[in-house]
Amino acid sequence: MVTTTTAASVDLAAARFFRVLGDPTRVAILQLLMQRPHSVSELVEATGARQSRVSTHLACLRWCEFVTTERAGRKVIYSITDPEVGEVLRRGMELAQARLDHLVACERIGPEWA
Amino acid sequence: MVTTTTAASVDLAAARFFRVLGDPTRVAILQLLMQRPHSVSELVEATGARQSRVSTHLACLRWCEFVTTERAGRKVIYSITDPEVGEVLRRGMELAQARLDHLVACERIGPEWA
DNA sequence: CCGGTGCATCCGGACAACCGGATGGATAGG
DNA sequence: CCTATCCATCCGGTTGTCCGGATGCACCGG
């Protein structure tokens, strides 16, 4: 069957999908955008991250089409593209909160867990 | 408010949560376990990954309590701990599939996108 | 008791992702 | 125009994560 190649591709795509959500700064950004559209400077202000960092993360989210942009004068306004993605994020955050202690304690994904 | 500290922690926990899901091998493993419990050797067989790799990934999933183990003779049987996690995985895979081309093309999360 | 199977962990080594700081382009205001 | 603001991207360096191969322990069958 033709789906043989696809099976691995789907795993790969899924992994990339979740990896995009696997950064605290991007989580914070997406959370803010779920409330309402924000300009870059607002996101910098709200997250406390450097401007270059925020822009890079936004480029990542833009590329993956998690967010869309719109120019407004000197500012660029970012919005969530698909509410579905936000929904998965929300569900994940709930589950993460339940396991908060474990996950935060899990410093590394490689060796060196207790 | 007291939630100030927590806000960042939640982002961190969520990021770790999703990062665990952000590896193709772990996605494949979890998918198999969502169907039914598997022994390590079965997972090695099914995924095509090396045994040491599979065991390491399982250690990660075990630590984060995504899976639980049960000894059966010389074998160790792994099962999904919480169906909720599997549900998030499933939803994510659907969304990833829709964006498959984009996500697979996105070789890197850092710079160097087209 | 001994050999064999099944699994977990250790050991470098390689690369991807993250970061801060600096540079450069676009836009509006004086 | 000229300047200041806002944003995107580049650069060098650091760390985290993944990997294959090898070692060691637990358990079962003979």
Side-chain angles (χ1 to χ4, degrees), chain B residues 9-58:
Chain B
S9 301
V10 171
D11 290 350
L12 185 62
R16 287 210 207 287
F17 175 87
F18 286 119
R19 191 174 289 254
V20 171
L21 298 180
D23 178 275
T25 302
R26 286 194 289 268
V27 168
I29 290 175
L30 288 172
Q31 246 190 311
L32 289 164
L33 295 183
M34 281 168 67
Q35 299 169 13
R36 61 174 178 80
H38 286 68
S39 69
V40 176
S41 41
E42 283 175 327
L43 293 173
V44 170
E45 165 76 18
T47 61
R50 316 272 172 175
Q51 181 265 323
S52 65
R53 218 76 307 282
V54 171
S55 273
T56 303
H57 282 306
L58 285 172

Side-chain angles (χ1 to χ4, degrees), chain A residues 19-80:
Chain A
R19 191 175 288 258
V20 170
L21 298 180
D23 179 274
T25 303
R26 285 194 290 267
V27 168
I29 289 174
L30 288 173
Q31 245 190 311
L32 290 164
L33 295 184
M34 282 168 67
Q35 298 170 13
R36 60 174 179 79
H38 286 69
S39 68
V40 176
S41 41
E42 282 175 328
L43 292 172
V44 171
E45 165 76 18
T47 61
R50 313 275 171 174
Q51 181 264 323
S52 66
R53 220 60 331 265
V54 172
S55 272
T56 303
H57 282 307
L58 285 172
C60 169
L61 295 170
R62 213 186 320 136
W63 171 263
C64 298
E65 295 185 328
F66 284 22
V67 300
T68 53
T69 63
E70 178 193 358
R71 183 132 211 147
R74 272 176 294 191
K75 304 196 172 185
V76 175
I77 308 301
Y78 280 80
S79 315
I80 291 278

Side-chain angles (χ1 to χ4, degrees), chain B residues 39-40 68-79:
Chain B
S39 69
V40 176
T68 54
T69 64
E70 177 192 359
R71 181 130 214 151
R74 270 175 296 191
K75 305 196 171 185
V76 176
I77 309 299
Y78 280 80
S79 315

